[in-house]
């Protein structure tokens, strides 16, 4: 890990660059889906949404992202979980599932390590974040591969 500081607008800001190795580079549909989802960071959370630039819910984001790769997923986290092959070691672009309210009810895409991209409310937009830093490990169900 490289640590540094930079002066921005008169304030010192600490930063670090991780040197840990990334998940194996995906190929094909997973890479296309991941890049599509990352391109939507900041787009608002909209319940039942699957419209780029306008709004997504969690399964709407993963459905739309995989459609860009020619893979059709249902617009439902539990159904995506049911159709995915369970895997132990994810690669970038694989799906990650959570259970917050008694069933599989949230899905995102693996970026690397425990970093994911998803649409959730809160915070109310598509974001890239760490499962650990978000406190989501207790709700983790597993990883799945659809392509």
């Amino acid at each position: 890990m490289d640590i540094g500081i930079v002066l921005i607008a008169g304030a010192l800001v600490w930063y670090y660059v991780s040197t840990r190795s990334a998940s194996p580079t995906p190929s094909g549909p997973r890479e296309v889906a991941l890049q599509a989802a990352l391109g939507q960071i900041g787009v608002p959370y909209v319940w039942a949404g699957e419209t780029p630039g306008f709004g997504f819910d969690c399964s709407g984001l993963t459905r739309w992202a995989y459609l860009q790769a020619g893979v059709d997923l249902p617009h439902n986290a539990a159904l995506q979980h049911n159709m995915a092959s369970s895997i132990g070691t994810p690669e970038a672009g694989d799906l990650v599932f959570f259970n917050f309210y008694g069933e599989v009810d949230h899905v995102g895409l693996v970026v690397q390590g425990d970093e994911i991209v998803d649409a959730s409310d809160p915070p109310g937009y598509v974001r890239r974040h760490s499962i650990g830093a978000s406190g989501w490990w207790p709700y983790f169900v597993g990883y799945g591969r659809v392509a």
Side-chain angles (χ1 to χ4, degrees):
M1 171 171 46
D2 296 327
I3 300 174
I5 59 172
V6 64
L7 185 62
I8 299 176
L12 289 177
V13 177
W14 290 93
Y15 70 92
Y16 78 93
V17 177
S18 175
T19 56
R20 70 178 175 186
S21 61
S23 300
T25 302
S27 60
R30 290 192 311 275
E31 176 65 19
V32 171
L34 177 59
Q35 292 308 313
L38 289 171
Q40 297 300 307
I41 288 177
V43 170
Y45 176 90
V46 173
W47 186 81
E50 59 178 43
T51 306
F54 178 75
F56 292 102
D57 66 5
C58 66
S59 60
L61 176 66
T62 53
R63 173 179 161 68
W64 175 82
Y66 267 96
L67 274 174
Q68 306 319 294
V71 178
D72 193 9
L73 300 178
H75 191 154
N76 179 283
L79 293 176
Q80 289 181 13
H81 179 258
N82 290 344
M83 72 178 292
S85 298
S86 181
I87 54 173
T89 304
E91 294 179 2
D94 283 327
L95 298 176
V96 56
F97 298 98
F98 299 91
N99 173 347
F100 290 100
Y101 301 105
E103 61 183 37
V104 174
D105 50 30
H106 189 71
V107 61
L109 289 101
V110 173
V111 177
Q112 71 176 15
D114 84 333
E115 290 182 3
I116 66 171
V117 60
D118 68 345
S120 61
D121 189 26
Y125 54 88
V126 176
R127 67 180 176 150
R128 178 178 176 167
H129 63 103
S130 159
I131 296 171
S134 298
W136 287 14
W137 280 118
Y139 308 102
F140 174 76
V141 172
Y143 299 108
R145 184 164 294 158
V146 294

